[in-house]
Amino acid sequence: MERKYIFPDNFLWGGATSANQCEGAAREDGKGWTTSDTSLFIADSKKRIQQMLSPMTTDKVRKALGDTKGFYPKRQGIDFYHHYKEDIALFAEMGFKTFRLSISWARILPNGDDKHPNEKGLQFYENVIDELLKYNIEPLVTLSHYEFPLELSFRQNGWASRKTIDAFEHFVTILFERFKGKVKYWITFNEMNVIGMTGYLSGGLLADKYENPDNPNQDYFQAAHHQLVAAAKAARALRSIDPEAQIGCMIVRFENYPDTPNPLDVLASLKSDQENFLMSDVLMKGSYPGYSKRLFAEKNVHIEMTKEDLEILANYTADFVSFSYYMSGVVGGTNSEKTTGNILDSKQNPFLKKSEWGWQIDPVGLRITLNKMYDRYQKPIFIVENGLGAKDELTDELTVHDTYRINYLRSHIEQIGEAIDDGVEVIGYTPWGCIDLVSASGNEMSKRYGFIYVDIDDKGQGTGKRYRKDSFAWYKNVIKTNGESL
Ligand code: BGP
C-alpha cells in the first residue's frame, strides 16, 4: 500500500537563502564591508573550502579589500538586491508559505555600531518583506548568517569582545521596532555551533588578535558565549517589542553514528552529540549543560561569564529550535577512509551514497535527528536548511532535468513525515538555496541547490536570467497537496 504522509495544515513549506550568498550589491546604498566580502574565488576546487575554514588576519583582509584583480563572488551574489521582486514572484508561484532570508548587519549599521541606522538598508529589507507579505509568504529572518561587519573585527576582534553584544542588541532592536507585526519568525545566528570552524566568517575573529594564539579554542568559545548572551538579549528585546513574534536558535546538525557497536564508538558518538548540541542546549534549556565542564576542561578553555549573563540565559530561552541537515557521518572505530562533508570531514559509511561533493546522503538520519532533538527540547522544530548541491545543466529548452534533486528532497520529506508520525512537532521546512546562489564553502556557482536556475557561472559571467528546473513544478505540487503528492 502506498504510504501517505500527513503534514499539519499550517505547515510552513518554503525555501532558504542568506544575504551574503544572494544579494550582491556589496557597496550599494551605504553598506559596509563584511567578512563574506573577502571570500575570493579559487580556481583549484580542492583548495576552496580551506579558505572558509582558515583563520584570517588583518593584513589578509586589508589586502582582499584593496584587491582589484581577484573575483569575490559574494560581492555580486545573484543580484537578489535588484531582482527580489521577480524572485519572490517565482517563490509565490511555487506556493511558498515562508521564505528564509537574512539581514546583513552592515547594510543597517555600516560600522556595526553606528548610532543611527542606514535608512536605505532598512528600506531595502522593508521592500522585500512587504513583497513577501503581498503573497502571504511569512518572512523567516536570520539576524546573522555567515557575515559580520568588518569594522568591528578591526576594532574589537568581532565576537571575542563583550562590546559586540551591545552592538548586536542595538542592531536587532532597530529591526524588531521597524518590522514589528510583519515578521513572526526570527533566527539569531546561523549554525552557531561551528564558530570554531567559521570563526572569521561568522564570528568576525582575526587570528592576529587572538587572546591565546596557542589555543584559539579560548577565543572561539568566549566568542560563542558572547553570541549566546546576545541571542538571549535578542529574545528579551523581541518579547518586549513584539510579543507575538517568535525567536529560534539554529545549529548545523551532524548526526554522527558509531562506527561499530564497540561501547567506545558509541561513547564517541554521544560525545559528538554533546559538542554538536552545546549551543542549542544552552539556548533551549537556559543554562550550560553538565557535560560542558568536562568539554571545556578537555579543550583547556576558561570562559568569562558574569552573573548577569547566567540570569539572562536562564530567563530568555528560545521559542523554537532550528537546524540545517544535509548529511550524516561516522565517528570512532577503525574505519580510516574519509569523505568530505558540510564544514567537517567524516568517516565513510558503507551504507550510504554520496553527493558529487562527497556529502553522505542519509534521509533516515533526518528522522533520527528530529526524534533526538524533540526528546531533548520538547519545543517546535523548524528545518531551515536541507538539500542537494549538484552540477546542473541548462538544456536547450531552458530547463534543468534535476531528477537527482527531486529524489533527494522526496526521500528527506518522507522522513519528516515519518518523524511527524513519531510525534515530533515540526513546524516548517525550508530547503537551502531555493534559488541558485553562491556556495558558502566553495564560493562557486557550480554547486547549485535551487528549484530556480540562475544563469551565472563561477566567474560571475552570464545573463543572470532565472529558469524553472523540473524540481520547481515538483515542489509546487508537494506544497499544493501539503505533502500528499510525494
Ligand atoms: C550551510 C550554510 C549555508 C549553505 C549550506 C550549503 O552550512 O548555512 O550558508 O551554503 O550550508 O553549503 P555549501 O554552500 O557550502 O554547499
mmCIF file of all heavy atoms in Angstrom, residues 317-335:
data_model
loop_
_atom_site.group_PDB
_atom_site.id
_atom_site.type_symbol
_atom_site.label_atom_id
_atom_site.label_comp_id
_atom_site.label_asym_id
_atom_site.label_seq_id
_atom_site.Cartn_x
_atom_site.Cartn_y
_atom_site.Cartn_z
ATOM 1 N N THR A 317 14.975 31.958 27.085
ATOM 2 C CA THR A 317 15.287 30.826 26.210
ATOM 3 C C THR A 317 14.588 31.032 24.854
ATOM 4 O O THR A 317 13.693 31.869 24.729
ATOM 5 C CB THR A 317 14.817 29.506 26.848
ATOM 6 O OG1 THR A 317 13.463 29.664 27.232
ATOM 7 C CG2 THR A 317 15.654 29.135 28.046
ATOM 8 N N ALA A 318 14.975 30.230 23.879
ATOM 9 C CA ALA A 318 14.416 30.387 22.529
ATOM 10 C C ALA A 318 13.051 29.697 22.433
ATOM 11 O O ALA A 318 12.759 28.762 23.174
ATOM 12 C CB ALA A 318 15.381 29.802 21.515
ATOM 13 N N ASP A 319 12.233 30.185 21.487
ATOM 14 C CA ASP A 319 10.879 29.643 21.318
ATOM 15 C C ASP A 319 10.857 28.363 20.495
ATOM 16 O O ASP A 319 9.992 27.522 20.647
ATOM 17 C CB ASP A 319 9.984 30.667 20.606
ATOM 18 C CG ASP A 319 9.856 31.940 21.402
ATOM 19 O OD1 ASP A 319 9.511 31.849 22.590
ATOM 20 O OD2 ASP A 319 10.115 33.025 20.838
ATOM 21 N N PHE A 320 11.778 28.286 19.546
ATOM 22 C CA PHE A 320 11.832 27.074 18.716
ATOM 23 C C PHE A 320 13.291 26.774 18.398
ATOM 24 O O PHE A 320 14.166 27.628 18.560
ATOM 25 C CB PHE A 320 10.993 27.216 17.431
ATOM 26 C CG PHE A 320 11.442 28.314 16.485
ATOM 27 C CD1 PHE A 320 12.355 28.056 15.474
ATOM 28 C CD2 PHE A 320 10.929 29.600 16.586
ATOM 29 C CE1 PHE A 320 12.763 29.056 14.599
ATOM 30 C CE2 PHE A 320 11.326 30.616 15.719
ATOM 31 C CZ PHE A 320 12.242 30.341 14.724
ATOM 32 N N VAL A 321 13.525 25.551 17.980
ATOM 33 C CA VAL A 321 14.888 25.180 17.611
ATOM 34 C C VAL A 321 14.911 24.908 16.103
ATOM 35 O O VAL A 321 13.955 24.358 15.550
ATOM 36 C CB VAL A 321 15.374 23.955 18.439
ATOM 37 C CG1 VAL A 321 14.488 22.749 18.260
ATOM 38 C CG2 VAL A 321 16.819 23.600 18.122
ATOM 39 N N SER A 322 15.968 25.371 15.460
ATOM 40 C CA SER A 322 16.038 25.126 14.018
ATOM 41 C C SER A 322 17.439 24.610 13.676
ATOM 42 O O SER A 322 18.383 24.785 14.444
ATOM 43 C CB SER A 322 15.706 26.396 13.238
ATOM 44 O OG SER A 322 16.665 27.392 13.470
ATOM 45 N N PHE A 323 17.530 23.978 12.536
ATOM 46 C CA PHE A 323 18.832 23.401 12.166
ATOM 47 C C PHE A 323 18.939 23.174 10.675
ATOM 48 O O PHE A 323 17.937 23.168 9.946
ATOM 49 C CB PHE A 323 19.074 22.091 12.925
ATOM 50 C CG PHE A 323 18.147 20.956 12.540
ATOM 51 C CD1 PHE A 323 18.582 19.944 11.695
ATOM 52 C CD2 PHE A 323 16.857 20.901 13.032
ATOM 53 C CE1 PHE A 323 17.732 18.898 11.339
ATOM 54 C CE2 PHE A 323 15.994 19.853 12.684
ATOM 55 C CZ PHE A 323 16.442 18.854 11.840
ATOM 56 N N SER A 324 20.205 22.990 10.247
ATOM 57 C CA SER A 324 20.453 22.591 8.862
ATOM 58 C C SER A 324 20.841 21.115 8.900
ATOM 59 O O SER A 324 21.509 20.656 9.829
ATOM 60 C CB SER A 324 21.597 23.410 8.257
ATOM 61 O OG SER A 324 22.791 23.209 8.977
ATOM 62 N N TYR A 325 20.417 20.389 7.881
ATOM 63 C CA TYR A 325 20.753 18.966 7.814
ATOM 64 C C TYR A 325 20.989 18.592 6.354
ATOM 65 O O TYR A 325 20.099 18.759 5.516
ATOM 66 C CB TYR A 325 19.613 18.110 8.395
ATOM 67 C CG TYR A 325 19.898 16.624 8.263
ATOM 68 C CD1 TYR A 325 20.594 15.940 9.256
ATOM 69 C CD2 TYR A 325 19.514 15.916 7.122
ATOM 70 C CE1 TYR A 325 20.896 14.587 9.120
ATOM 71 C CE2 TYR A 325 19.806 14.568 6.972
ATOM 72 C CZ TYR A 325 20.499 13.910 7.980
ATOM 73 O OH TYR A 325 20.798 12.578 7.844
ATOM 74 N N TYR A 326 22.169 18.121 6.075
ATOM 75 C CA TYR A 326 22.489 17.722 4.692
ATOM 76 C C TYR A 326 22.938 16.273 4.593
ATOM 77 O O TYR A 326 22.812 15.650 3.551
ATOM 78 C CB TYR A 326 23.634 18.598 4.142
ATOM 79 C CG TYR A 326 23.229 20.040 3.961
ATOM 80 C CD1 TYR A 326 23.352 20.954 4.994
ATOM 81 C CD2 TYR A 326 22.686 20.484 2.763
ATOM 82 C CE1 TYR A 326 22.953 22.268 4.840
ATOM 83 C CE2 TYR A 326 22.291 21.794 2.590
ATOM 84 C CZ TYR A 326 22.426 22.684 3.636
ATOM 85 O OH TYR A 326 22.019 23.978 3.475
ATOM 86 N N MET A 327 23.520 15.765 5.662
ATOM 87 C CA MET A 327 24.261 14.502 5.575
ATOM 88 C C MET A 327 24.469 13.934 6.983
ATOM 89 O O MET A 327 24.196 14.605 7.967
ATOM 90 C CB MET A 327 25.625 14.792 4.984
ATOM 91 C CG MET A 327 26.235 16.057 5.600
ATOM 92 S SD MET A 327 28.000 16.144 5.521
ATOM 93 C CE MET A 327 28.460 14.977 6.745
ATOM 94 N N SER A 328 24.976 12.706 7.054
ATOM 95 C CA SER A 328 25.373 12.174 8.354
ATOM 96 C C SER A 328 26.821 11.727 8.268
ATOM 97 O O SER A 328 27.403 11.664 7.179
ATOM 98 C CB SER A 328 24.470 11.005 8.762
ATOM 99 O OG SER A 328 24.667 9.926 7.882
ATOM 100 N N GLY A 329 27.396 11.401 9.421
ATOM 101 C CA GLY A 329 28.792 10.979 9.463
ATOM 102 C C GLY A 329 28.979 9.773 10.368
ATOM 103 O O GLY A 329 28.016 9.201 10.882
ATOM 104 N N VAL A 330 30.239 9.394 10.533
ATOM 105 C CA VAL A 330 30.587 8.236 11.356
ATOM 106 C C VAL A 330 31.759 8.637 12.248
ATOM 107 O O VAL A 330 32.681 9.322 11.789
ATOM 108 C CB VAL A 330 31.025 7.046 10.455
ATOM 109 C CG1 VAL A 330 31.530 5.886 11.297
ATOM 110 C CG2 VAL A 330 29.885 6.602 9.557
ATOM 111 N N VAL A 331 31.705 8.229 13.521
ATOM 112 C CA VAL A 331 32.840 8.515 14.420
ATOM 113 C C VAL A 331 33.298 7.251 15.139
ATOM 114 O O VAL A 331 32.558 6.269 15.211
ATOM 115 C CB VAL A 331 32.488 9.600 15.482
ATOM 116 C CG1 VAL A 331 32.398 10.970 14.860
ATOM 117 C CG2 VAL A 331 31.206 9.253 16.226
ATOM 118 N N GLY A 332 34.491 7.312 15.697
ATOM 119 C CA GLY A 332 35.069 6.179 16.423
ATOM 120 C C GLY A 332 35.548 5.109 15.456
ATOM 121 O O GLY A 332 35.603 5.312 14.236
ATOM 122 N N GLY A 333 35.909 3.938 16.034
ATOM 123 C CA GLY A 333 36.224 2.781 15.204
ATOM 124 C C GLY A 333 37.528 2.843 14.464
ATOM 125 O O GLY A 333 38.367 3.713 14.692
ATOM 126 N N THR A 334 37.650 1.898 13.560
ATOM 127 C CA THR A 334 38.925 1.738 12.882
ATOM 128 C C THR A 334 38.866 2.178 11.418
ATOM 129 O O THR A 334 39.895 2.316 10.774
ATOM 130 C CB THR A 334 39.327 0.252 12.901
ATOM 131 O OG1 THR A 334 38.176 -0.495 12.484
ATOM 132 C CG2 THR A 334 39.753 -0.199 14.284
ATOM 133 N N ASN A 335 37.642 2.362 10.930
ATOM 134 C CA ASN A 335 37.491 2.776 9.534
ATOM 135 C C ASN A 335 38.245 4.086 9.308
ATOM 136 O O ASN A 335 37.928 5.108 9.920
ATOM 137 C CB ASN A 335 35.987 2.946 9.247
ATOM 138 C CG ASN A 335 35.725 3.516 7.874
ATOM 139 O OD1 ASN A 335 36.637 3.656 7.062
ATOM 140 N ND2 ASN A 335 34.480 3.857 7.612
#
